[in-house]
Each structure stands twice: as C-alpha cells, then as structure tokens.
Amino acid sequence: MLTLAALLAGLSQPVFSDDECGPEQPGQDTINCNQNDHPNGITYRDSDGLTLNLDNPNMTVGTPGVFLQIIDSVAGDVTVNAINVDTITGAGNRFHGIWTEIDNRTATGSVTTTQSSGTISIDGTTSRTAGLFARNMGLGNTHTQLNGGTINSTGPVGCGMMSTTNNGLSAGNATALMSDGAVTAGQHGIFVANVGLGLAEAKMDGGPLTTPGPNESHGIFNHTFSTNNTGSSTVFLTDGDISTAGSSSHGVHIFTEGTGLTLAEMSGGTITTTGTEANGLISFINNAASTANATITLTAGDIATSGA
C-alpha cells in the first residue's frame, strides 16, 4: 500500500524558463496560448492566479511539459486547459505532462488540470509521474479532467491522471473525471489522493483505461490518508472500459484510513482484470474507529476477472 512518504517523495520542483506564452498580469487573469511550438516546455511560476488555455491544434510542447504554480500568493486559482494541442512530452521522473499546483500551505485557491485533445506522453521510471497532475499544498480543492485525447504514461510508476491534496489541515476535495479520451498507464490510470480532511472522488464516464502492470496497477485508485478524515471516498463508473494486468491490480480500488464511507458504484462500462488476486471492485475502510459503511454497488455493466 502506498505510504504518505512515497506519495510526497520525488515531487520537488524542477528548474525551467518562464512565461513562454506571454507575461502574466497582476491578479487572477487568463492567457490564451496559441503558438505552434514550445520545444522547452511552458512554465509559469509564482503566479497569483492564472488560467492558461492551450489552443492550437498544431501545438507541440517538449520537456518538461507544462508547469503552472502558485508559491507565495494566498489567493487565486491555477488552471491549465489543453483545449487544442497536438503533443505534450515530458521526460518523466517528475516531469509531468501538465503539472498545476499551489505550493503555499495557507493559500485558499483551487488547482485544475484538464485535457480535451492531443497526446500526452511521459515516463515514470523511478519517480511517480502523471500525464495530468494537479497538487494542492494549500487549503483548496484539486481536480484533473480528461475530456478527450490520449495519455500514454509508461514506466512502473507512471500514472495517467493524478489529483492530490497534500495538506493535513485542508478541507479541500481531491477529484478526477474521465469523460472521454484514452489512458494507458504503467501504474494507476486515475489516482486520487487526499492527505487532508476533504472528500476524495473519481468518476469515469467513457473511454478506455488500461494499466498493463506490473503489480498493484489499478485502473482507478482512490486513497484517503488521514485517520481524522470523516469525508467520503467514492468512485463512480458509468461508462468506459477498464483493463488491468498484473497481480493485485484491481479495476477500482478505494482505500480509506479515515472514518468516512467508501462507495464503489458501477452503473455501466466494463472491467477486465487478468492478474492474480486482481478484483473488479474493492471498497475498504482501514480504521477500527469507523462506523461507516464500505459499499459496492453494481447495477449495470460487466466485470470479468481471471488469474488465481
């Protein structure tokens, strides 16, 4: 099972150049980025609130990918929308495809990372790396969303989408939505992690999601870390196809160390697992003080498991 130390390890900020799509203005603002090529990535550090829209179907972004961050500001939201792009490439091992974060522990803003087109390719060989990565060290919410396009995240610790709240005092929510598109990931397809006190939720409404292994490579993994967390931990699968391989590589795995309820709800789509001890749906509360229910609901869809 993933530890908090493992979640935080290797996530320090790399060094980039800045403001490739033009200068940011004071206060919450929007930059529409429509240049063709960014071979050295796109970076905005120490923002005070920015929505960065990538909107050119011929746009190519090289390593280190796209990086948007609040360091000092206590207000403002940071959002990256890959509306129309061709390719985004990260070298991996902390070079995420699109990385959006708030680094100030007293900040109240939200962090959002979305993709609607194009292909993101990254590699997580030794440090956890994601195609879409949103992290909030402050007190607000965190969200990743895939509306279209493709994420190829190779390597044993490569994730497709990753939403994390990393502040034990935060009541912010960690959420992820895959409404369309395609994900192939070396580790987890969708990974939602809440270290604080808010809820954790993942939803899949469409698209294929594949995790070829090696082990404990879940299609959707929802992990709540704090024993003081009373919020819910939920996954909703309404459509789409999840396929996993490798031992203990579950289709949907919810694991909370808090006292709130867990719910894995499947109302459509398919789950196929081929590894040993790999289940379709798992909903688990690991807290003896909890009186909440760990629930699995299956109203439609198909689950096929194989392996001893």
Side-chain angles (χ1 to χ4, degrees):
M1 183 56 59
L2 179 70
T3 65
L4 178 56
L7 175 66
L8 296 175
L11 294 180
S12 59
Q13 293 83 9
V15 177
F16 310 133
S17 58
D18 289 344
D19 301 353
E20 286 81 1
C21 297
E24 181 180 358
Q25 302 303 311
Q28 188 77 41
D29 65 325
T30 299
I31 293 177
N32 296 313
C33 189
N34 53 25
Q35 298 93 338
N36 277 357
D37 299 316
H38 297 273
N40 299 313
I42 298 172
T43 305
Y44 286 83
R45 291 179 293 182
D46 204 10
S47 172
D48 59 358
L50 177 63
T51 296
L52 180 63
N53 296 319
L54 310 180
D55 194 4
N56 182 333
N58 298 313
M59 182 182 295
T60 61
V61 181
T63 297
V66 182
F67 182 58
L68 171 57
Q69 177 191 48
I70 285 178
I71 298 176
D72 294 323
S73 178
V74 297
D77 305 321
V78 285
T79 300
V80 175
N81 297 314
I83 300 168
N84 276 304
V85 298
D86 184 10
T87 60
I88 298 174
T89 304
N93 296 328
R94 300 192 306 278
F95 292 115
H96 309 282
I98 302 176
W99 177 353
T100 311
E101 80 165 13
I102 291 176
D103 203 39
N104 186 330
R105 300 188 72 81
T106 63
T108 58
S110 296
V111 178
T112 304
T113 305
T114 72
Q115 177 189 357
S116 299
S117 71
T119 298
I120 294 177
S121 300
I122 56 98
D123 180 65
T125 303
T126 58
S127 298
R128 181 167 285 105
T129 308
L132 301 180
F133 182 59
R135 179 173 65 170
N136 201 330
M137 303 290 287
L139 302 172
N141 299 324
T142 307
H143 182 69
T144 56
Q145 184 163 328
L146 181 63
N147 302 316
T150 300
I151 298 175
N152 294 315
S153 179
T154 58
V157 285
C159 295
M161 305 163 58
M162 188 170 174
S163 299
T164 70
T165 61
N166 286 94
N167 186 330
L169 301 177
S170 173
N173 302 323
T175 59
L177 169 62
M178 181 177 177
S179 63
D180 205 347
V183 172
T184 300
Q187 195 178 53
H188 310 311
I190 301 173
F191 181 23
V192 175
N194 199 322
V195 175
L197 305 174
L199 64 81
E201 178 181 294
K203 186 177 182 182
M204 182 174 175
D205 294 333
L209 189 160
T210 303
T211 61
N215 303 310
E216 295 189 14
S217 301
H218 312 307
I220 302 175
F221 185 31
N222 182 330
H223 189 174
T224 297
F225 285 84
S226 175
T227 58
N228 297 317
N229 190 316
T230 61
S232 59
S233 301
T234 55
V235 173
F236 301 96
L237 175 60
T238 66
D239 201 357
D241 304 307
I242 296 175
S243 177
T244 73
S247 64
S248 301
S249 296
H250 312 303
V252 172
H253 187 190
I254 305 175
F255 185 91
T256 182
E257 298 172 63
T259 57
L261 66 84
T262 60
L263 170 64
E265 180 177 294
M266 183 174 180
S267 58
T270 65
I271 296 176
T272 304
T273 68
T274 58
T276 59
E277 298 182 352
N279 298 281
L281 301 167
I282 287 184
S283 181
F284 188 74
I285 300 173
N286 187 38
N287 189 321
S290 176
T291 60
N293 293 323
T295 305
I296 293 173
T297 302
L298 175 63
T299 58
D302 295 302
I303 298 175
T305 62
S306 60

